[in-house]
Amino acid sequence: MEDVIIIGAGVVGASIARELSRQDRRILVLEKNWDVAEGASKANSGIVHGGHDALPGSLKAKYNILGSRKMEALSRKLDFPYSRNGSLVLLPFGGDREKLKELLARGIRNGVEGLEIIEREQLRMLEPNVSESMEAALFVPSGAITDPFLLTIALAENAAANGVEFRFGEEVRAIQRSGEGYCVETENSRFDAKLVVNAAGVYADRIHAMVSREPMEIIPVRGQYCLFDKEAGDLVKHTLFRLPTEKGKGILITPTVHGNLMAGPTAETLSDKEAVNTTAEGLSEVLGKGAESIREMPQKKVITSFAGLRAHERNGDFIIGQPADAPGFIDAAGIESPGLTAAPAIGEAVSEMVMQICPVPLRQGFIHTRKSIPCMALSSDAERKALIDADPAYANVICRCELVTEGEIREALRRVPRAGTLDGIKRRVRAGMGRCQGGFCSPRVLNLIAQELGLDPQEITKCGGGSWILMGRNKEEGHGR
Amino acid sequence: MDDRRGRCALKRKVQLAVIGGGPAGLAAAVAAREKGIDDILVLERDMRLGGILNQCIHNGFGLHTFREELTGPEYAQRYIEMIHRHQIPCLLNTMVTDLHYHADGTKTITAMNRKEGILSIEAKALVLAMGCRERPRGAMNTPGFRPAGIYTAGTAQLYVNIMGQMPGRKAVIVGSGDIGLIMARRMTLEGAKVQMVAEIMNYSGGLKRNIIQCLQDFDIPLLLSTTVVDIKGKERVEGVTLARVDERLKPIPGTEQEVECDTVLYSTGLIPENELTRKLGAGMDPSTGGPVVSRGLEIKGMGVFACGNVLHVHDIVDHVTQEACHAGENAAEWIRYGSLPEDAGGFIESAEKNVYRPGEAEDRITCIRCPNGCGMTASREKDGSILVSGNLCPKGKDYAIQELTDPHRTVTSTVRIESREVAALPVKTSREVAKGRIPDIIRAISGIRVKPPVRVGDVILKDAAGTGADILSTGTILL
C-alpha cells in the first residue's frame, strides 16, 4: 500500500513527487512512457515566464508568479540551467499600443516586478537584431529561460534520492475506490494507495473521469518549433514575444540555455492526443512569423524541428485540487503555459493539500540538493582535468558537436531514474543534441548503453517500447520485428 | 592498433600536426614526410586510422592513385602501411577540442584521450583534414513524426559495415547521393527490402555507375523530382508519404504516394566539418563550406593548410589524396622556407561529375570500369561482332561487350568477426562474378565466422558457390 500514487512523470508530476518527498510517506510515480518528461515537458519553449500575460485572479497567474520567483533558487539547489535573460513583448509600427499598455497593467496587477515599456531606441540597444518594423516593447526583466528536460530530471532525481519510486511503462487503465483509498490498475499490475494525484498531462481528463463525474476536457493544442544551430544562438539575447492575440501568444524567438536559437510555437487545436508530428504548414508558419521579429531568420541553420501538445483545459485555467465527488484524488490538470514556470509552485500546493488531507510527520534527513551530471563542455580546464583524473572516461569524447564524453554518458546511466534510451541520454547529457543530430555519436552511445546495462545492442531503443534502433543482424532473414 | 607506436614518439612540440587520420590526413602526413619533415603527429578521433574509408567497403576506389580498383578499407590500408613504414606517430582515440593561433605564428592544439587526458601540443604548421558530416533530417525540415528508424545513410553504413547490425528491414532512401545509392545495395544484399530512392532534383547527384550497380542491378526504383513530405510512426517508422515536386522544388498537391517502410535513410548532402577551423579565426567560403585558402591550400599566411572534404566535398577519394599530397608538400615547404614555391599545388576541382539524367543514354551503356563513366553505344554487326563507340579507352569496349552479353560484378559484403573492435569484417570476391550469382555468393558467406588476426588479402573462402571466385578479406583487423 502506497501513501500517494502520482500519475505522470512530467515536470508537474516530478515537482509534486519532489515536494511530497519532504513528508514521511511511501510515494510511487506511474508513467506510461519510459522516461520522465516524455510529454509536453519535452517539447515546449523552456521559458520561465515573468507572469505579465496570465489573467489576474486565475490559477495560472497565481502559480506563474510563485513559480517564477522560486525558479532561480531551485536551479541552484537542484543544479539545472537557468538564465534570467529577460523577455520583450514586441509592438510593431501601427500595432495596438493600448494592448501593450494593458499587458503592462495586467503584469503590475499580477505582481510582476520591473516591467516597463521601452521605445525604439532602447529596444535597439537591448536587442540589436530586432526587426526594423518594431516600434516599442514591454520589457519583462524577470523573464528567464531554463531547460525543461533537465528541470524535470533534476526534480525526479531529487525525489528518487528522497525515496520516491518511479515505475515506467505503466499506463493507468482504471482506478477504483477501495476502502479508504484507490486501486490503480495498469496493464500488468495493480497498486493501492490512500491518495492519487493526477498529473497526466493531455490525458488528465481520462484519468479524472475514472473517479469523478465533474466535467473536465483536455484539448491538445499543438505547438511546432524549429531549433537552430549554435552559430545562430547569439542572434538575440532576450526572449522575443509577439503581442498576444485571441489566437495565442504568437511565435516567439528565444535563445536557449545551451546557446541555440529557437522559434515557435504554433497553436493548433486538435483532437488527437498523440499528434506530436510537425507539418509543412506549421514549420513554414514558425519560420515565416518568426522572421517578423528579427532582421533575418537564419533559415538554413535549422538543425531540427519538433512539436508538443499543450494540455489545454476547456475553461482555460489550471485545475488544481480535489473534485467534490472524489476525496483523496487530486487533479493537477490543464497545466499548459505557463505550466513549466508554475510547476515548482504547483508541487508545493499539491503537497500542502496532501498534508491537509492526511497529515504525517516530515521526513527526517530530507535531501534538499542534487548535483547535475558533470558537463565537460561547460567545465573549466581545471575542472576537466579533475574529472579526467578521477575517471579517464571523461577524456573519451563520444559526441563531437556538443563535446560529450563517455564519462558523462556512463554517469547518466547510473542515475535514478535511469536514462536507458538514446533519447534519455540525449536529454541528460546532450549527446546527439547538436548540429549533426546524432549522426556521429548515436552508434557509439548505443554501444555504451548496451555495455553499461549489460544488454545486446538489439535491445536498445530510442525512447522505450517498440522504438528499436536496430532490426536484427546482417544476413538474418525473416527477422521478427 | 598502432597506438603504442604513436605514444612512444609523442612530443608536446612538433613541426607538423595533422588533424584527422582519414584519407586526407594520411596522404598529407606521408607527403610531408617524403618532403623531409620528420617530426609529424597525426591526431585521429577513431580507434583506428582510415576515417570514413573503413566503412566504405564497396569497391571503386584507387583507379587514379593506384591504377587498380580497391575497396575503401583496402585503399586506407595502403596509406596506413605507408604511415607505419615512415614511422609517423599517430594518436588514436584522440579528439581535438580546440585550436589556437598565437601572434608569433605557433599553433596550440588541445586534445583529449583516455590515456593522456588533456593534451596540449604546439605545432609549427598544421594540416586540417577533419572531413565532413552528413546533413540530417532535422536540417531538411521534413515534417512528420520523429520515431526510431530515421538515420543518415552514413550512420546506417556504420551499423551495417562495422557493427554488423541492420538499422532496418524495409527502407526508403531520401536523396540519391552516392552514400544513399551504395546503402541501397548494401541493405539489399544484407537482406532488407529497399522500396525506392526518392530524389528531389530531376537528376541524380550520384555517379552513373552507382545508379547502375546499386539500383538497376537490384531493380530498386529511382524516383526523380520526388521528396518525402511526411513520416509516420510513433515508436518506429511505419511509412512515409512521397510527393512529386514542381520546378521550384515545392511538393505538388495530389501527387502524394504512401509507402510502407520501417526505415528512412537520408543521403542529402555533406557539410565540411569546420568548427575547429573557425576557432583559428579562418574565413569561410560560403560556396564550398570550407575555409578560404590561398594558393597552395594555405589559410592566409598562417602555416595552416586544409585538404580533403574539410575544404570542399570531393566525389572520389583519389582527388582527396591528390589534394592532400599538395597540402602535405606545401606544409613541408612552409616549415623549411617559411613560404611556398610559385608552382605550389592546390585545390583539386572535382571533374565534372558524370551524373545520371533520365532520358539520356537510357539505351546506351555507361562504363563502370572507372569513374570516367564513358557513355557508349554498342551494336551487333552482321558478322556477329559488337561495335562499340564513345569509349575513351579499350577497357570501355571490353566492358560494353560483356555488359551486353553477360554482366559481371565484384561483390563486396561483410562476414562476422569476433573482434574487440568491430563485429563485421569487410570482404570481396577475388574477381567479378556473373550478376545473377550475387545472391549465391551472399548465401555462401552468410554463416562464416572469423577470428582475428585477419589481413587485407587473406582468403576467407575458396571458390565461393562454385563461381571460381575466392572471398578475400579487404580489412586488416588484428585484435
Side-chain angles (χ1 to χ4, degrees):
Chain A
M1 178 84 161
E2 308 292 333
D3 288 324
V4 185
I5 286 177
I6 299 165
I7 301 169
V11 68
V12 174
S15 175
I16 293 168
R18 192 248 174 184
E19 288 304 320
L20 271 177
S21 69
R22 295 172 188 273
Q23 304 170 9
D24 195 8
R25 317 181 176 272
R26 279 174 56 98
I27 302 157
L28 172 66
V29 180
L30 297 179
E31 167 57 50
K32 76 179 166 79
N33 294 301
W34 297 87
D35 197 358
V36 301
E38 279 282 3
S41 306
K42 79 172 174 196
N44 60 73
S45 312
I47 309 289
V48 182
H49 291 275
H52 58 276
D53 190 47
L55 279 176
S58 64
L59 291 181
K60 281 184 178 173
K62 176 182 169 185
Y63 291 114
N64 182 342
I65 300 293
L66 289 172
S68 167
R69 287 181 188 153
K70 283 179 196 302
M71 198 64 89
E72 188 167 13
L74 190 65
S75 76
R76 282 195 292 266
K77 270 189 199 166
L78 300 186
D79 205 10
F80 61 85
Y82 170 92
S83 165
R84 187 171 293 190
N85 64 325
S87 306
L88 292 164
V89 186
L90 303 177
L91 177 74
F93 282 102
D96 187 350
R97 188 174 275 264
E98 287 311 307
K99 267 228 169 117
L100 199 69
K101 286 183 182 164
E102 201 182 299
L103 215 54
L104 170 70
R106 197 193 281 183
I108 291 169
R109 238 180 309 155
N110 283 345
V112 185
E113 285 146 24
L115 294 177
E116 61 174 313
I117 290 180
I118 58 170
E119 297 303 323
R120 189 163 182 232
E121 211 160 291
Q122 206 186 341
L123 175 59
R124 296 278 174 291
M125 266 166 51
L126 281 180
E127 205 55 86
N129 287 321
V130 75
S131 161
E132 293 292 340
S133 66
M134 295 301 164
E135 183 186 3
L138 175 66
F139 178 43
V140 189
S142 59
I145 48 178
T146 184
D147 177 323
F149 330 128
L150 292 182
L151 165 57
T152 310
I153 288 159
L155 290 164
E157 284 185 7
N158 188 231
N162 285 304
V164 173
E165 188 190 349
F166 286 80
R167 294 185 70 134
F168 295 100
E170 298 280 9
E171 183 174 348
V172 172
R173 299 284 173 83
I175 306 174
Q176 258 100 40
R177 293 249 175 124
S178 79
E180 293 286 281
Y182 293 91
C183 174
V184 178
E185 287 177 32
T186 63
E187 190 181 16
N188 303 313
S189 315
R190 294 160 67 98
F191 306 94
D192 290 301
K194 289 180 200 149
L195 295 138
V196 173
V197 177
N198 172 17
V202 285
Y203 289 103
D205 52 352
R206 292 198 195 160
I207 299 293
H208 171 90
M210 291 175 188
V211 298
S212 170
R213 302 180 72 124
E214 284 186 9
M216 179 194 287
E217 187 188 353
I218 306 289
I219 300 158
V221 180
R222 182 164 61 197
Q224 302 187 36
Y225 291 88
C226 290
L227 185 74
F228 299 83
D229 193 297
K230 285 180 174 175
E231 277 176 32
D234 55 1
L235 209 62
V236 297
K237 291 189 277 298
H238 302 81
T239 301
L240 306 184
F241 289 95
R242 302 304 305 273
L243 205 54
T245 64
E246 53 286 0
K247 281 186 182 165
K249 289 184 212 171
I251 304 294
L252 64 83
I253 307 265
T254 187
T256 71
V257 283
H258 302 289
N260 296 88
L261 183 79
M262 191 161 72
T266 57
E268 307 153 64
T269 302
L270 306 174
S271 52
D272 180 357
K273 295 190 182 206
E274 296 290 318
V276 290
N277 54 316
T278 55
T279 63
E281 300 74 31
L283 296 178
S284 82
E285 182 187 337
V286 169
L287 294 173
K289 293 264 175 63
E292 294 170 11
S293 297
I294 50 176
R295 281 170 193 271
E296 198 182 353
M297 194 74 170
Q299 304 246 9
K300 290 200 168 149
K301 300 244 186 293
V302 174
I303 59 171
T304 191
S305 48
F306 59 91
L309 297 174
R310 303 172 182 85
H312 175 74
E313 210 284 324
R314 194 168 41 100
N315 294 315
D317 203 3
F318 297 162
I319 295 178
I320 295 167
Q322 293 180 89
D325 57 351
F329 179 91
I330 302 171
D331 284 311
I335 314 296
E336 59 179 331
S337 178
L340 186 72
T341 314
I346 294 171
E348 280 191 20
V350 171
S351 93
E352 279 164 25
M353 287 176 199
V354 168
M355 194 58 133
Q356 272 177 12
I357 299 166
C358 175
V360 292
L362 290 180
R363 175 186 299 278
Q364 295 297 307
F366 173 73
I367 303 161
H368 289 264
T369 58
R370 166 263 181 195
K371 282 303 287 174
S372 68
I373 297 164
C375 176
M376 287 294 278
L378 299 178
S379 298
S380 67
D381 286 352
E383 289 166 336
R384 284 182 183 180
K385 194 177 174 304
L387 283 166
I388 294 167
D389 286 347
D391 181 357
Y394 282 93
N396 184 22
V397 178
I398 302 295
C399 165
R400 63 179 174 205
C401 301
E402 297 289 311
L403 193 77
V404 184
T405 63
E406 179 188 335
E408 291 155 87
I409 292 166
R410 289 200 188 270
E411 174 64 20
L413 290 164
R414 290 165 189 164
R415 293 280 172 123
V416 182
R418 190 167 73 184
T421 63
L422 282 184
D423 279 356
I425 293 294
K426 179 166 93 171
R427 291 188 201 120
R428 280 164 181 80
V429 300
R430 297 186 60 76
M433 208 55 116
R435 48 177 66 98
C436 93
Q437 288 286 296
F440 177 75
C441 71
S442 55
R444 291 160 178 84
V445 174
L446 178 131
N447 277 335
L448 280 177
I449 299 175
Q451 251 180 44
E452 182 73 30
L453 304 185
L455 299 170
D456 187 276
Q458 290 288 327
E459 297 175 82
I460 309 302
T461 63
K462 178 173 186 285
C463 52
S467 64
W468 316 107
I469 299 296
L470 301 170
M471 307 279 272
R473 286 170 156 266
N474 291 4
K475 301 183 183 69
E476 237 175 34
E477 278 175 33
H479 186 77
R481 270 179 197 156
Chain B
M1 66 207 91
D2 53 347
D3 209 12
R4 206 157 293 121
R5 203 186 301 223
R7 280 189 67 197
C8 294
L10 177 65
K11 283 169 54 180
R12 301 289 148 156
K13 207 166 169 181
V14 296
Q15 285 194 296
L16 176 63
V18 179
I19 320 282
L26 297 182
V30 168
R33 164 61 48 93
E34 285 172 355
K35 282 278 176 185
I37 303 300
D38 50 15
D39 186 14
I40 305 174
L41 176 66
V42 177
L43 297 117
E44 166 57 39
R45 66 186 177 199
D46 199 14
M47 61 187 164
R48 43 187 186 153
L49 295 172
I52 205 69
L53 286 176
N54 287 321
Q55 67 181 61
C56 296
I57 67 162
H58 52 282
N59 62 345
F61 300 90
L63 286 161
H64 297 283
T65 311
F66 298 109
R67 297 279 150 209
E68 59 182 302
E69 191 169 48
L70 302 173
T71 65
E74 291 173 312
Y75 189 101
Q77 195 58 34
R78 300 234 173 157
Y79 276 90
I80 292 169
E81 277 158 21
M82 289 184 228
I83 290 278
H84 289 176
R85 209 156 48 236
H86 287 300
Q87 298 188 335
I88 298 172
C90 298
L91 274 178
L92 300 177
N93 296 304
T94 302
M95 184 73 85
V96 175
T97 56
D98 204 3
L99 292 180
H100 193 79
Y101 180 79
H102 300 280
D104 68 353
T106 56
K107 296 98 194 164
T108 307
I109 300 160
T110 309
M112 292 202 288
N113 70 30
R114 259 179 172 276
K115 284 182 191 145
E116 281 102 351
I118 299 172
L119 296 157
S120 181
I121 297 156
E122 211 175 276
K124 193 168 180 202
L126 276 183
V127 170
L128 305 180
M130 291 89 76
C132 59
R133 64 164 173 270
E134 297 174 282
R135 183 174 286 121
R137 178 243 178 135
M140 304 303 294
N141 265 330
T142 306
F145 284 89
R146 301 199 302 153
I150 306 169
Y151 311 105
T152 56
T155 303
Q157 192 178 42
L158 187 149
Y159 280 130
V160 178
N161 291 352
I162 306 285
M163 291 169 64
Q165 308 271 2
M166 290 294 282
R169 292 276 143 198
K170 197 180 260 190
V172 168
I173 296 177
V174 182
S176 62
D178 286 312
I179 317 168
L181 301 176
I182 293 287
M183 281 313 292
R185 176 175 62 186
R186 279 300 292 142
M187 296 283 287
T188 307
L189 287 180
E190 296 301 341
K193 163 89 178 140
V194 176
Q195 300 277 59
M196 70 263 294
V197 175
E199 167 60 56
I200 194 167
M201 305 306 287
N202 60 7
Y203 61 90
S204 166
L207 293 165
K208 267 186 194 170
R209 53 185 264 156
N210 285 336
I211 301 281
I212 296 165
Q213 292 201 346
C214 300
L215 301 189
Q216 292 175 3
D217 275 5
F218 300 94
D219 297 322
I220 298 167
L222 170 64
L223 308 185
L224 296 172
S225 300
T226 303
T227 193
V228 55
V229 294
D230 196 17
I231 297 178
K232 296 180 194 66
K234 187 165 191 306
E235 295 184 321
R236 178 82 197 189
V237 171
E238 288 164 15
V240 296
T241 307
L242 302 178
R244 306 257 314 153
V245 297
D246 61 22
E247 319 75 63
R248 292 169 47 245
L249 308 182
K250 298 281 171 228
I252 304 168
T255 63
E256 292 84 2
Q257 172 191 0
E258 310 279 322
V259 182
E260 193 195 316
C261 60
D262 60 27
T263 309
V264 187
L265 300 186
Y266 275 81
S267 176
T268 44
L270 300 169
I271 305 164
E273 189 136 287
N274 277 297
E275 281 67 36
L276 287 171
T277 318
R278 287 194 182 87
K279 293 188 179 187
L280 287 168
M284 290 294 149
D285 180 340
S287 66
T288 59
V292 177
V293 290
S294 59
R295 191 176 55 82
L297 305 169
E298 188 190 7
I299 299 173
K300 53 172 182 186
M302 289 172 117
V304 178
F305 299 82
C307 58
N309 285 348
V310 82
L311 183 58
H312 63 114
V313 175
H314 298 64
D315 289 323
I316 60 172
V317 73
D318 300 75
H319 291 160
V320 168
T321 299
Q322 206 182 335
E323 189 174 85
C325 286
H326 292 160
E329 288 166 0
N330 296 348
E333 198 77 22
W334 188 90
I335 289 166
R336 293 175 130 188
Y337 308 111
S339 64
L340 299 182
E342 283 302 311
D343 60 346
F347 217 78
I348 302 296
E349 297 282 354
S350 297
E352 196 181 332
K353 200 174 172 183
N354 206 339
V355 299
Y356 172 82
R357 290 172 197 275
E360 138 191 330
E362 291 287 6
D363 54 339
R364 292 164 65 188
I365 295 170
T366 302
C367 182
I368 56 175
R369 286 281 187 256
C370 84
N372 281 340
C374 293
M376 304 177 292
T377 48
S379 55
R380 229 175 256 275
E381 297 301 290
K382 278 181 201 142
D383 61 359
S385 67
I386 295 172
L387 187 68
V388 179
S389 63
N391 53 315
L392 292 175
C393 74
K395 280 187 205 159
K397 185 180 173 189
D398 297 345
Y399 175 75
I401 292 170
Q402 183 165 69
E403 195 65 11
L404 212 63
T405 53
D406 181 19
H408 276 53
R409 301 284 181 256
T410 297
V411 184
T412 57
S413 183
T414 58
V415 298
R416 268 193 221 184
I417 183 163
E418 288 157 28
S419 149
R420 285 198 303 214
E421 296 182 342
V422 296
L425 173 74
V427 296
K428 70 174 183 184
T429 50
S430 57
R431 55 186 172 85
E432 294 186 330
V433 299
K435 201 167 86 174
R437 300 299 309 276
I438 295 174
D440 301 331
I441 298 281
I442 296 295
R443 257 192 302 279
I445 63 171
S446 67
I448 295 177
R449 306 278 182 281
V450 296
K451 285 188 175 148
V454 189
R455 290 180 174 79
V456 168
D458 287 359
V459 177
I460 303 297
L461 178 68
K462 281 284 216 192
D463 187 19
T467 57
D470 297 338
I471 302 297
L472 306 179
S473 167
T474 58
T476 292
I477 293 169
L478 301 177
L479 294 170

